[in-house]
Amino acid sequence: MLSVLRTIWEVFLHAFRKRVTIQFPEEKPRLPPRYRGRIILSRDPDGGERCVACYLCAVACPVDCIALQATEDSTGRRYPEFFRINFSRCIFCGFCEEACPTYAIQLIPDFYMSEYKRQNLVYEKEDLLISGPGKYEGYNYWKVAGVKIGGKDKGEAEREAPPVDLQSLLP
Amino acid sequence: MATIYIDNKPYDADPSRNLLDVCLSLGFRLPYFCWHPALGSVGACRQCAVKQFKDEQDTQGKLVMACMTPAAEGTRISIDDPDAVEFRRNIIQGLMMNHPHDCPVCDEGGECHLQDMTVMTGHDYRRYRFDKRTFRNQYLGPFVNHEMNRCIQCYRCVRFYRDYAGGRDLDCFALRDIVYFGRREDGVLESEFSGNLVEVCPTGVFTDATLKQHYTRKWDLEFAPSICAHCSLGCNTSPGARYGTLRRIVNRYHSEINGYFLCDRGRYGYEFVNSPLRIRDVTWQGGVIDGAAGVERLSTLLAAGKVIGIGSPRASLEANFLLREAVGAANFFAGMADDELRLVRRILEIMQSGMASVPSLRDIELSDAVFVVGEDVSNTAPRMALSLRQSVRQQPIRSIEKLRIPVWNDNAVRDAVQSAKGPFYIASPYPTRLDGIATEVCRAAPDDIARLAFEVAEASDENSPAGRIAAALRNAQRPLVVSGTGLNNAAIVEAAARAAQALGAALSYVLPEVNSAGLAMMGGGTLAEAMEAVRGGAAETVIVLENDLYRRAPAEAVDALFRSARHVVALDHLTNGTTARADLVLPAATFAESAGTFVNNEGRAQRFFQVFIPHGEIQESRRWLRDAMLAAGRIEAEALDRLDGVIGALGRALPRFARVHEAAPPAAFRLVGKKVPREPHRYSGRTAMLANITVSEPKPPEDPDSALAFSMEGYSGQPPPPLIPFFWAPGWNSIQSLNRFQEEIAGPLRGGESGVRLLVPNGAGQQQAGVPPAFQPRNGERLLVPVYHVFGSEELSREAPAVASLAPGPYLALSPEDAKALGEDTAEVSIGGKTHRLPVLVISGLPEGVAGVPAGIPPFTGLSLPAWGKFSRMP
Ligand code: SF4
Ligand code: SF4
Ligand code: SF4
Ligand code: SF4
Ligand code: FES
């Protein structure tokens, strides 16, 4: 009996607390940057497409809602020919972001993606690719990878020695 | 059997094997790099360290390399010993010091043995603070991509390429921590087995260059067990598809046929499936119609009667059988050149006669004296050449038995053997790539080759060449005679059989195409008879099944056939001369889009299954024919809907095919109630790949023809061998996972090998063709023999861009003497009523009076070769 009365009292007190509910959409919520909402593809600090089409996000996705196809430019830089996320399936778990070795795919605090037609929730690369590095500034995968691409020869990546001279006779 | 102790538990082990091999067979997870089941051990990588103890009392023990230690009776080792674990972790750490940060863009990723072993040993953090060593890559041709930074110096590549496959242009260079694996300079890899580097290399140094153009990870590919369609050996393959196109082919182990390796034609020929020449629409007199209308047209033609069918040695048994059913046995004609058909029939008779045993490729590998009679094996049945290369090692290895070196101790064996080779004799009109391992080579015209082989059968005089060959084979334990249809010479076929019989040797024939044996077994008239039937008015409609008749008979004859036929129907994959002349063209599924059975050169029936569902109106030939039969009111066709129904009907109609159904489990086969999934369980993107078309996922397609499902869901254990779509095991993502599927390393797959031999010896052997007269050169003429090219001579792989880029153009091969007499870079030759001016290719060693032209390469298609060619200016 006593506990019931105490509960009623506490519920009553809550009526005077500050509200957490906000009047969305007139009022926008402030969400932390690591909130897991809409997914974007970012660019590296030099403005290049970050995604290297490694398929890791796709394989990590528990609902298999990411599909892409890798291709390469003439210099050997790999990127996705198409990149599709079916947001009507996405559960915003963030596994793709965790799997991504290049920081390309990121979940951002934008969650308002309601559509009348489910088909409109299918996003292609044009819809996903933003013009900046997103949450992670500074990182450029190609600067650490060993493969040669346009503008970066062998031995020019971070912590790389110049290519071995096979003709040298020095011991 | 010996008893060995692993972490104090006793196990049975074969003492002739090494500890690594035994541990892996027993299912232990012991990491390794340099050891390869087919290449043996060299102890180069130090990754397979275990601790060995003297006896039960020994607590200290010492680290040994499992791959270099025999599994002798009483051996006590520990895999889990902390020192061993630590040692193995340190080895990986060392290998990773210079390893590039490439996995995301490395084509090996997801099926990388180095990734697997790194995870297995638990190494996860690079502590080395200094710079990474880097290398420049090389251009190695259209098949193999090179990314040298990823090398871990296991030496597998050069050991395969040089020691096993006999290649010379790949080697290791430089020294200490900068050893480099590549060519002396950029250039196309010369060996026709270079593609195996992709699987042999445990890292991403060598990767599939054709896959790179439409790169897909292993986990995203849809696989099915398949059979290579590019020669008569029937190597087992595992093609992978994604988004409705074929992406690559990898080896599917079969202990008796291809073992661990494929040839490059088999690996890269697949690209024809994606060719722009693919027929995807039904056309009637040039206009596109829909599939139903196509069936309607075909059924009208069938119902009208007077129809003949021309089968194909590159179509499955089932497709050929359905054509035979549709037109009636009397109206079915085998779609091979007439002399070729006679030859293949005779070969089957010989194989069935029991004159000699029919070896598998594995038997060929173990042969210890070989006589190759007039067949350019490297170019007509490449994988067999790789087996033959191993055969010359058998006698030398036996001769060092007293040194008691285990055969798996590869370096020691090679050091002891040096360059010694067992007896290997070749008779061929032109130099072949196997000449380098031959004891003696005989260059002769086709008839003279036959004479030599007849002589070998009778020979007693050890001083004549024939006598030496006879003696070598007679003294061998497992002698072998190899011949085939390459030179299109009945006497050669006969002589090879005589020689094999007289010397007690096994006898292997190379046949022209993937299902030549199957088609010849099915029966049917010759092409000449088909042409006669049409010319005489007995037939009005000709149905051509997966066959370009312009490759089977002279163009004039085929033109005449098409002119006199009222209607021509062609079912095929690619646009060709025949489909261009056909009124009705039906797009036929390739090997990768259909299921069926091929019979290889040993008479082994093997099933291949559909890998993916193609775009467009493409259907299996047998379905087009069956639908048309039904539409024409032939209710018996109802039972021919599913593959199993067709195979059953085939066995009933032609009892020699009664056992074809044993080649693989039927469609109703289930494992704990489930089908076998074609896709790995981590197949990605299934709710997105079609979402651009419609966001509601369609139901996965059904497969009524097999126990395989177009899905990632299904039975997760090991299916029976004919149904294994791909090799994968937990912790083993690379092709090395195969170890988990074998009864013992390099032995048969668990559940027994697939395929069923259809030819049962019946002891009815009798000789036919006699000894031909000696070859007589003619004045002003040369006998043009077909010169085969692994890349270019085969019809379908010719349309694969990578293979095509290595195919030669037309040429005229002349001996240096003839070329000198001619004195020009081009020559004019008349053959079959046509004159061609062609560039001259000088081939030294061509016998007098003999010249060569490339086989299967226009304009020399449809000609019956060898044939006499007239030169305007030639002595
Ligand atoms: S994980 Fe990252 S880099 Fe890889 S495909 Fe996905 S977005 Fe691209
Ligand atoms: S070889 Fe293996 S470990 Fe090395 S980059 Fe390629 S996938 Fe990664
Ligand atoms: S290239 Fe590959 S196979 Fe050759 S040594 Fe390096 S890692 Fe081994
Ligand atoms: S040897 Fe013949 S069957 Fe084997 S892979 Fe090569 S072409 Fe295919
Ligand atoms: S596998 Fe034993 S040392 Fe390499």
Side-chain angles (χ1 to χ4, degrees):
Chain A
M1 187 64 199
L2 197 68
S3 89
V4 171
L5 285 176
R6 202 176 70 206
T7 309
I8 292 172
W9 176 242
E10 279 185 7
V11 171
F12 174 74
L13 279 186
H14 269 283
F16 302 99
R17 292 264 166 83
K18 186 169 174 279
R19 275 169 209 224
V20 275
T21 316
I22 57 159
Q23 293 308 312
F24 184 80
E26 289 75 26
E27 202 181 323
K28 301 277 190 280
R30 212 211 78 84
L31 294 170
R34 283 166 60 186
Y35 185 88
R36 299 196 309 262
R38 177 165 63 91
I39 300 172
I40 53 101
L41 289 174
S42 61
R43 290 179 187 273
D44 62 34
D46 302 336
E49 215 176 300
R50 246 178 185 164
C51 173
V52 299
C54 71
Y55 296 99
L56 287 178
C57 50
V59 74
C61 177
V63 293
D64 290 339
C65 73
I66 304 178
L68 66 146
Q69 173 59 53
T71 188
E72 270 173 23
D73 73 8
S74 57
T75 68
R77 181 176 170 134
R78 195 166 274 195
Y79 66 95
E81 188 177 10
F82 73 84
F83 195 111
R84 183 179 309 131
I85 301 183
N86 177 355
F87 279 113
S88 78
R89 285 286 186 188
C90 180
I91 55 170
F92 303 96
C93 62
F95 281 13
C96 50
E97 177 168 353
E98 255 177 74
C100 182
T102 67
Y103 289 146
I105 197 165
Q106 299 175 13
L107 280 76
I108 60 166
D110 168 13
F111 62 88
Y112 17 100
M113 328 170 51
S114 4
E115 294 284 351
Y116 286 107
K117 277 215 202 113
R118 216 182 129 202
Q119 186 68 44
N120 294 345
L121 285 168
V122 178
Y123 280 42
E124 298 289 340
K125 192 167 93 176
E126 305 77 83
D127 313 319
L128 297 165
L129 193 60
I130 64 166
S131 51
K135 287 183 271 185
Y136 307 98
E137 290 174 13
Y139 186 68
N140 187 341
Y141 169 77
W142 294 107
K143 291 235 157 87
V144 269
V147 297
K148 171 183 165 185
I149 57 162
K152 191 205 78 177
D153 201 359
K154 286 279 172 196
E156 291 180 3
E158 285 168 20
R159 295 247 199 97
E160 266 189 359
V164 166
D165 175 12
L166 293 174
Q167 313 297 326
S168 160
L169 288 177
L170 294 177
Chain B
M1 275 293 157
T3 305
I4 64 165
Y5 299 85
I6 302 175
D7 289 309
N8 289 323
K9 282 206 197 78
Y11 294 93
D12 282 342
D14 174 355
S16 71
R17 290 170 174 259
N18 62 59
L19 284 174
L20 174 60
D21 180 326
V22 167
C23 289
L24 293 172
S25 290
L26 290 169
F28 287 97
R29 292 160 150 251
L30 186 54
Y32 63 87
F33 288 112
C34 64
W35 169 82
H36 184 287
L39 306 178
S41 316
V42 287
C45 70
R46 321 313 279 172
Q47 188 58 63
C48 63
V50 293
K51 201 165 231 187
Q52 184 174 19
F53 302 95
K54 277 207 291 290
D55 48 39
E56 230 165 324
Q57 275 69 51
D58 183 1
T59 51
Q60 194 155 11
K62 59 170 183 189
L63 286 177
V64 296
M65 294 309 125
C67 70
M68 297 301 283
T69 315
E73 174 65 40
T75 308
R76 307 188 78 91
I77 55 164
S78 168
I79 296 176
D80 297 338
D81 181 274
D83 289 347
V85 170
E86 172 76 9
F87 183 88
R88 295 196 296 261
R89 201 192 335 253
N90 287 341
I91 291 291
I92 287 269
Q93 182 166 25
L95 294 177
M96 284 301 192
M97 237 160 53
N98 287 310
H99 204 76
H101 191 66
D102 274 2
C103 293
V105 289
C106 174
D107 289 0
E108 195 82 355
E111 52 182 322
C112 175
H113 188 57
L114 177 58
Q115 281 181 333
D116 287 351
M117 297 301 101
T118 307
V119 172
M120 196 177 283
T121 54
H123 169 74
D124 57 7
Y125 189 77
R126 180 173 181 266
R127 292 183 298 161
Y128 185 68
R129 302 199 325 272
F130 304 96
D131 287 349
K132 287 181 185 180
R133 166 204 67 196
T134 60
F135 291 107
R136 292 204 179 278
N137 304 325
Q138 289 179 327
Y139 169 74
L140 298 177
F143 295 149
V144 181
N145 193 60
H146 193 221
E147 186 61 49
M148 191 45 212
N149 281 354
R150 300 171 188 153
C151 178
I152 56 164
Q153 300 85 37
C154 70
Y155 286 75
R156 268 182 168 199
C157 49
V158 287
R159 290 175 57 223
F160 167 76
Y161 196 89
R162 300 181 71 87
D163 300 350
Y164 195 87
R168 308 196 40 163
D169 58 324
L170 183 91
D171 212 336
C172 61
F173 300 91
L175 70 175
R176 55 181 168 80
D177 64 339
I178 56 164
V179 281
Y180 186 90
F181 297 83
R183 298 183 83 245
R184 195 175 61 80
E185 56 189 15
D186 286 26
V188 180
L189 286 171
E190 285 162 12
S191 169
E192 65 273 28
F193 303 105
S194 64
N196 292 301
L197 293 174
V198 172
E199 289 179 48
V200 166
C201 175
T203 73
V205 175
F206 298 110
T207 51
D208 184 334
T210 64
L211 171 66
K212 196 177 168 68
Q213 291 162 19
H214 40 216
Y215 183 65
T216 307
R217 297 245 180 248
K218 179 181 179 182
W219 65 62
D220 277 345
L221 290 169
E222 187 169 44
F223 299 93
S226 192
I227 305 297
C228 175
H230 305 291
C231 90
S232 65
L233 298 180
C235 293
N236 288 206
T237 58
S238 182
R242 175 92 180 168
Y243 302 138
T245 59
L246 198 54
R247 300 295 167 113
R248 71 153 181 204
I249 281 189
V250 290
N251 184 53
R252 185 165 62 94
Y253 179 84
H254 189 300
S255 65
E256 283 167 19
I257 307 178
N258 43 310
Y260 292 86
F261 308 115
L262 292 178
C263 81
D264 290 354
R265 178 153 99 195
R267 190 180 297 270
Y268 299 108
Y270 79 89
E271 287 185 300
F272 86 87
V273 173
N274 307 330
S275 163
L277 290 181
R278 267 315 280 284
I279 302 167
R280 294 191 184 271
D281 295 311
V282 182
T283 52
W284 170 258
Q285 297 179 337
V288 174
I289 57 177
D290 71 1
V295 170
E296 186 59 45
R297 296 268 180 202
L298 183 55
S299 73
T300 320
L301 293 175
L302 277 181
K306 291 202 167 186
V307 188
I308 62 166
I310 298 180
S312 167
R314 61 171 163 86
S316 65
L317 278 184
E318 291 81 356
N320 278 302
F321 177 65
L322 246 124
L323 180 62
R324 189 175 175 275
E325 289 294 284
V327 299
N331 300 321
F332 177 72
F333 299 87
M336 292 190 230
D338 291 347
D339 37 9
E340 182 181 301
L341 177 63
R342 270 190 289 276
L343 221 52
V344 175
R345 288 212 174 125
R346 178 61 191 144
I347 286 175
L348 293 180
E349 244 169 67
I350 292 172
M351 283 163 69
Q352 198 145 29
S353 71
M355 285 167 83
S357 65
V358 179
S360 65
L361 285 191
R362 174 75 187 147
D363 297 328
I364 290 177
E365 208 166 299
L366 297 173
S367 303
D368 55 357
V370 181
F371 179 28
V372 181
V373 191
E375 186 70 28
D376 179 3
V377 182
S378 306
N379 289 311
T380 56
R383 179 63 183 83
M384 187 189 281
L386 192 58
S387 297
L388 286 172
R389 281 186 185 277
Q390 313 317 311
S391 72
V392 294
R393 299 190 65 221
Q394 301 307 321
Q395 282 207 18
I397 288 180
R398 207 180 309 133
S399 73
I400 56 155
E401 243 162 30
K402 55 181 185 306
L403 298 178
R404 317 240 323 249
I405 305 172
V407 270
W408 45 258
N409 195 338
D410 195 56
N411 260 358
V413 170
R414 284 186 197 270
D415 275 349
V417 163
Q418 294 289 324
S419 60
K421 293 195 176 59
F424 195 97
Y425 296 88
I426 300 178
S428 155
Y430 58 86
T432 70
R433 283 200 293 283
L434 286 176
D435 289 1
I437 57 165
T439 321
E440 245 179 276
V441 178
C442 161
R443 290 267 162 279
D447 282 349
D448 290 345
I449 292 175
R451 289 169 65 85
L452 173 74
F454 275 121
E455 218 176 305
V456 167
E458 316 294 336
S460 50
D461 172 19
E462 294 224 354
N463 289 322
S464 67
R468 283 194 294 274
I469 300 174
L473 265 70
R474 212 170 267 129
N475 294 335
Q477 293 179 5
R478 306 183 65 163
L480 168 73
V481 174
V482 173
S483 186
T485 51
L487 285 176
N488 203 2
N489 185 307
I492 287 184
V493 165
E494 219 61 52
R498 273 293 299 130
Q501 189 180 31
L503 302 171
L507 174 62
S508 183
Y509 286 108
V510 174
L511 301 180
E513 275 167 77
V514 59
N515 203 19
S516 296
L519 179 60
M521 284 171 77
M522 191 166 288
T526 61
L527 267 187
E529 285 163 1
M531 291 174 180
E532 189 48 50
V534 175
R535 197 173 330 119
E540 290 182 345
T541 302
V542 183
I543 305 179
V544 186
L545 171 74
E546 301 180 23
N547 206 338
D548 181 8
L549 296 186
Y550 288 95
R551 289 180 72 93
R552 311 285 172 189
E556 304 75 53
V558 181
D559 284 341
L561 169 75
F562 289 156
R563 259 198 313 276
S564 34
R566 282 203 35 210
H567 292 296
V568 177
V569 181
L571 299 97
D572 214 338
H573 324 308
L574 303 174
T575 312
N576 57 35
T578 300
T579 61
R581 294 292 302 262
D583 303 303
L584 178 62
V585 179
L586 297 166
T590 62
F591 75 94
E593 299 142 355
S594 62
T597 311
F598 289 142
V599 183
N600 79 350
N601 71 326
E602 327 158 56
R604 189 194 298 263
Q606 300 193 91
R607 188 78 29 84
F608 59 95
F609 291 102
Q610 181 168 11
V611 182
F612 69 103
I613 307 221
H615 304 301
E617 294 274 9
I618 295 170
Q619 260 206 97
E620 288 160 295
S621 297
R622 65 178 170 86
R623 287 232 147 80
W624 285 119
L625 291 162
R626 181 247 176 203
D627 292 352
M629 280 170 80
L630 260 193
R634 310 260 298 271
I635 41 159
E636 79 268 24
E638 243 163 62
L640 301 177
D641 177 21
R642 314 213 159 166
L643 188 70
D644 292 327
V646 179
I647 292 171
L650 170 67
R652 283 189 298 278
L654 297 161
R656 48 182 14 193
F657 293 117
R659 294 186 62 207
V660 166
H661 70 92
E662 291 170 34
F669 178 82
R670 294 291 181 276
L671 287 153
V672 288
K674 294 176 184 161
K675 282 193 153 198
V676 178
R678 279 182 171 82
E679 299 157 4
H681 68 294
R682 277 314 308 145
Y683 191 77
S684 80
R686 67 170 161 170
T687 65
M689 52 204 295
L690 298 173
N692 55 331
I693 302 163
T694 161
V695 73
S696 329
E697 288 100 48
K699 182 165 167 280
E702 300 273 343
D703 182 0
D705 291 326
S706 78
L708 296 157
F710 288 105
S711 165
M712 57 202 272
E713 287 162 16
Y715 182 67
S716 59
Q718 288 184 8
L723 290 180
I724 299 176
F726 58 93
F727 294 109
W728 180 88
W732 301 81
N733 298 293
S734 77
I735 191 77
Q736 313 287 330
S737 53
L738 170 58
N739 294 340
R740 303 272 137 162
F741 286 74
Q742 292 163 323
E743 274 162 26
E744 55 178 12
I745 302 297
L749 293 170
R750 280 204 191 106
E753 276 310 356
S754 41
V756 37
R757 286 230 189 165
L758 299 180
L759 298 175
V760 190
N762 56 17
Q766 41 166 308
Q767 196 180 325
Q768 280 188 348
V771 183
F775 172 72
Q776 296 294 337
R778 297 187 191 168
N779 275 345
E781 285 186 77
R782 294 291 179 268
L783 184 70
L784 302 177
V785 295
V787 178
Y788 289 89
H789 291 274
V790 54
F791 308 127
S793 291
E794 193 266 334
E795 183 182 355
L796 294 177
S797 58
R798 266 184 76 70
E799 301 303 336
V803 171
S805 71
L806 298 183
Y811 62 79
L812 191 68
L814 296 178
S815 66
E817 297 78 34
D818 282 353
K820 205 164 148 215
L822 200 72
E824 281 182 46
D825 298 350
T826 62
E828 213 163 75
V829 61
S830 308
I831 169 176
K834 277 204 196 113
T835 307
H836 308 280
R837 177 161 279 282
L838 297 165
V840 168
L841 178 77
V842 180
I843 296 190
S844 45
L846 276 174
E848 196 200 335
V850 175
V853 292
I857 290 172
F860 300 107
T861 47
L863 285 178
S864 171
L865 294 170
W868 288 97
K870 234 191 189 51
F871 290 78
S872 46
R873 308 174 30 228
M874 179 78 90

